Amino acid sequence: MVTIASADRIAFKPNWWARAGWIALAVYIVYACSLLDFTWTRFMVGLDNGARFIGRMFPPNFSRWEILTKGLAESLEIAVLASALGILVSLPIGLLASRNLMPAWVTWPARMFIALCRSFHPVIVAIVFVKAIGFGALSGIAALTVASIGFIGKLFAEAIEEISLKQVEAVRATGASFMNVITYGVLPQVFGRFIGFGTYQLDSNLRNSTMVGIVGAGGIGGALFAAFQRFDYDFVCAMLLAIIFLIFVGEVIATRVRAIFLERGKVDEE
Amino acid sequence: MENGAALSIQGLSKEYTRGRPVLHNISLEFAGRGFTAIIGPSGTGKSTLIRCINRLVEPTAGAIVFQGRDLVTLSGRALREVRRQIGMVFQEYNLVERLTVMENLLTGRLGYVAPLKAWLRKFPQSDIDEAFDLLEVVGLSNFANQRADNLSGGQRQRVGIARAVMQHPKLLLADEPTSSLDPKTSVEIMTLIRELGTAKNIPIIVNMHDVELAKRFADRIVGMSGGAVVYDGAPAGLTDGHLKSIYGGEDWLR
């Protein structure tokens, strides 16, 4: 039996790099707080203002419901169209980006494209599109489509990279064409997760579609921003309640869609 | 081939990493019918050999002549057309788990169906009728609409065999088809493979490591060791001496 010298019997070796990292983080947090006037006094001053703001929000004012429903409908249209387009483009892009099925010279450009779509927040992309193709819903759809590709394109690719290649090998061995191998060997293995990602993206686009209007890319966001600036806080409150309702309905629909397509119950949450 | 062999392997070598061959210059001829068992220890290249035949693995050197064509030179459509003629049964069944039994069987016809029709499940009625008939033959009549991941190991392998037969193969390959199964089911599966091969009048090549099972079912045994053929002949001619050279050691022979 080999005995270890008592000096070497260290059960838990200290990790000095990790300790230094924690200390640096703590120091930076204190520094950032002092720089940004992030103090309790400042918060209490703000609370006064907040109480007045909330007081003026109630009761919510639904008298301008035409503006509200028009904006809400446009947001819904933007979200659905952007999701549909985004998923449609993400399917081939995700496949091209999957390293287990495609050679490196194909996956690299596909991955670069996805990374590019992911680089900016949807609002920034929306500003770019508003400047490029003008105010309105088209810019919102374009911006959220880009965001969708960036998000689910990557998830699609990762899902495809996790499939069992044995099943693919068996389909390949039957002499099936490339497209048939995809339809029968790959798609069945990832379909459930694709439905999950798709409904999640619709959910996310619903939220984002209420926001791109702030920069003029259509939807209820424009009206919301205008109401804020005119201090019409009761109308703001009405719109916020409507948005909550929209998101809630979207959630219910997404759950139903998953239940229909995934007889095996729950999607594995990411 | 001029000598009438259905499949002729000539000087086949395979290296996954350069300078470390898994298969050394293998030459084998297979007649138009009969059950050949390839036996040998794990890691001796049996799976590689069988996968080189339908080019799931790329050979490094050599020729594989099937129906008068050297498979090693084929690619793209020509390769797929030849693959359709070669059925394959896998050790871990390799069914598409989330498809139904029927869809798995029809996978055997994918080489003949256009992508859009395959997507829409529009297979010719004759294929569907044949699939139902085959399910009866393999004893899974009531399982057509079950998902493959609901089946037991033995049932899955029956589906795997039926899928291969759906191809109307001119050659049936099986890579350790019973290694994941219990002894009773193994015999049932081997019997099924043998019967289907005889009924369709096609040659069968099966990898296995169980010598007794090989002796029981094979007309011909090919023993491999270290990536080379060390025995090729009738099961009756296989002696303890041969087994020693195939598997090494002798304690296990009692």
Side-chain angles (χ1 to χ4, degrees):
Chain A
M1 194 176 130
V2 184
T3 49
I4 305 167
S6 60
D8 290 338
R9 299 184 73 165
I10 302 161
F12 309 102
K13 211 175 169 209
N15 184 342
W16 292 108
W17 281 113
R19 286 184 191 183
W22 285 115
I23 292 167
L25 180 65
V27 168
Y28 181 78
I29 286 171
V30 172
Y31 167 74
C33 285
S34 68
L35 210 65
L36 298 176
D37 192 19
F38 186 70
T39 58
W40 187 249
T41 346
R42 172 67 189 81
F43 180 67
M44 293 311 284
V45 173
L47 267 190
D48 264 0
N49 202 14
R52 245 178 300 132
F53 168 60
I54 289 176
R56 285 180 60 180
M57 279 176 80
F58 290 95
N61 178 358
F62 284 95
S63 62
R64 276 176 283 168
W65 59 272
E66 292 106 328
I67 298 177
L68 192 153
T69 48
K70 183 170 169 287
L72 209 57
E74 196 172 79
S75 279
L76 182 70
E77 287 153 15
I78 291 174
V80 171
L81 286 176
S83 302
L85 262 173
I87 291 169
L88 218 62
V89 178
S90 293
L91 284 170
I93 295 281
L95 179 66
L96 293 177
S98 56
R99 283 170 293 203
N100 55 345
L101 297 182
M102 291 291 166
W105 61 269
V106 176
T107 60
W108 268 103
R111 287 181 166 261
M112 296 268 282
F113 180 70
I114 291 173
L116 194 71
C117 290
R118 284 171 78 79
S119 310
F120 301 106
H121 191 277
V123 169
I124 294 180
V125 182
I127 294 172
V128 172
F129 275 112
V130 167
K131 295 293 173 196
I133 56 182
F135 288 100
L138 182 64
S139 293
I141 294 168
L144 293 186
T145 302
V146 169
S148 303
I149 295 168
F151 192 72
I152 47 177
K154 188 176 162 73
L155 291 178
F156 280 1
E158 280 171 7
I160 293 174
E161 285 177 353
E162 285 168 18
I163 62 172
S164 151
L165 287 177
K166 295 185 168 192
Q167 299 176 32
V168 178
E169 182 188 43
V171 180
R172 224 152 56 87
T174 66
S177 61
F178 178 77
M179 277 315 294
N180 280 351
V181 172
I182 298 296
T183 336
Y184 275 71
V186 177
L187 204 60
Q189 297 194 57
V190 292
F191 183 71
R193 299 184 69 189
F194 279 13
I195 292 290
F197 298 149
T199 50
Y200 181 76
Q201 189 58 38
L202 177 64
D203 208 52
S204 166
N205 280 345
L206 271 175
R207 275 164 241 268
N208 287 336
S209 69
T210 60
M211 187 178 58
V212 289
I214 293 172
V215 296
I220 200 170
L224 186 65
F225 191 54
F228 264 120
Q229 290 201 309
R230 288 196 306 267
F231 308 107
D232 288 341
Y233 293 142
D234 50 355
F235 187 39
V236 165
C237 183
M239 282 191 276
L240 291 182
L241 290 174
I243 290 172
I244 292 172
F245 175 74
L246 178 71
I247 300 293
F248 178 73
V249 170
E251 194 92 21
V252 170
I253 292 173
T255 312
R256 287 294 305 154
V257 168
R258 279 176 221 166
I260 289 166
F261 281 105
L262 308 172
E263 69 270 48
R264 286 256 161 151
K266 284 193 187 164
V267 195
D268 15 9
E269 292 295 336
E270 292 311 307
Chain B
M1 284 300 292
E2 56 282 352
N3 57 7
L7 174 73
S8 166
I9 300 173
Q10 299 157 5
L12 179 71
S13 294
K14 170 65 186 174
E15 303 176 352
Y16 286 103
T17 45
R18 276 177 73 87
R20 298 187 59 190
V22 179
L23 297 178
H24 297 273
N25 194 21
I26 300 227
S27 294
L28 289 167
E29 302 258 316
F30 295 91
R33 67 184 63 181
F35 189 119
T36 305
I38 301 177
I39 61 169
S42 312
T44 195
K46 302 193 299 287
S47 282
T48 301
L49 172 62
I50 232 166
R51 280 178 163 72
C52 279
I53 295 174
N54 62 358
R55 290 274 303 279
L56 290 177
V57 167
E58 290 299 319
T60 309
I64 295 166
V65 180
F66 176 68
Q67 295 188 333
R69 284 199 284 185
D70 181 4
L71 304 192
V72 177
T73 62
L74 299 181
S75 65
R77 177 180 291 274
L79 175 61
R80 289 199 298 272
E81 276 169 8
V82 172
R83 275 188 183 145
R84 290 171 204 167
Q85 319 274 320
I86 305 176
M88 180 139 175
V89 177
F90 298 84
Q91 176 178 355
E92 289 168 55
Y93 331 121
N94 295 20
L95 302 182
V96 183
E97 300 276 312
R98 283 163 187 262
L99 291 183
T100 64
V101 167
M102 176 53 72
E103 285 167 326
N104 268 290
L105 254 66
L106 290 171
T107 300
R109 301 305 298 164
L110 278 183
Y112 301 94
V113 181
L116 187 64
K117 287 194 166 178
W119 168 278
L120 297 171
R121 308 297 193 257
K122 286 204 190 307
F123 287 85
Q125 190 58 41
S126 56
D127 287 352
I128 294 170
D129 292 340
E130 190 187 352
F132 275 114
D133 292 346
L134 254 176
L135 278 181
E136 227 164 277
V137 172
V138 301
L140 292 172
S141 305
N142 299 322
F143 290 82
N145 292 306
Q146 292 259 349
R147 245 169 63 163
D149 51 7
N150 283 336
L151 305 183
S152 72
Q155 290 170 336
R156 286 180 197 211
Q157 196 56 296
R158 287 165 190 276
V159 175
I161 293 165
R163 172 175 65 188
V165 172
M166 281 297 290
Q167 287 173 237
H168 302 166
K170 301 285 182 291
L171 169 68
L172 185 63
L173 306 174
D175 183 24
E176 305 266 4
T178 61
S179 292
S180 308
L181 301 171
D182 64 69
K184 176 171 167 283
T185 312
S186 295
V187 169
E188 287 167 5
I189 291 293
M190 281 300 174
T191 309
L192 183 63
I193 291 178
R194 199 188 153 91
E195 279 173 358
L196 282 170
T198 311
K200 307 280 170 190
N201 202 20
I202 54 173
I204 303 168
I205 304 173
V206 183
N207 277 346
M208 48 174 82
H209 55 241
D210 185 334
V211 180
E212 292 311 313
L213 207 59
K215 279 183 175 170
R216 179 164 166 185
F217 285 96
D219 310 313
R220 172 189 176 190
I221 289 185
V222 173
M224 283 180 66
S225 178
V229 173
V230 295
Y231 178 83
D232 186 358
L238 193 69
T239 62
D240 280 2
H242 291 125
L243 289 174
K244 210 174 110 184
S245 68
I246 294 168
Y247 290 94
E250 50 194 318
D251 292 349
W252 62 279
L253 290 166
R254 273 171 289 137

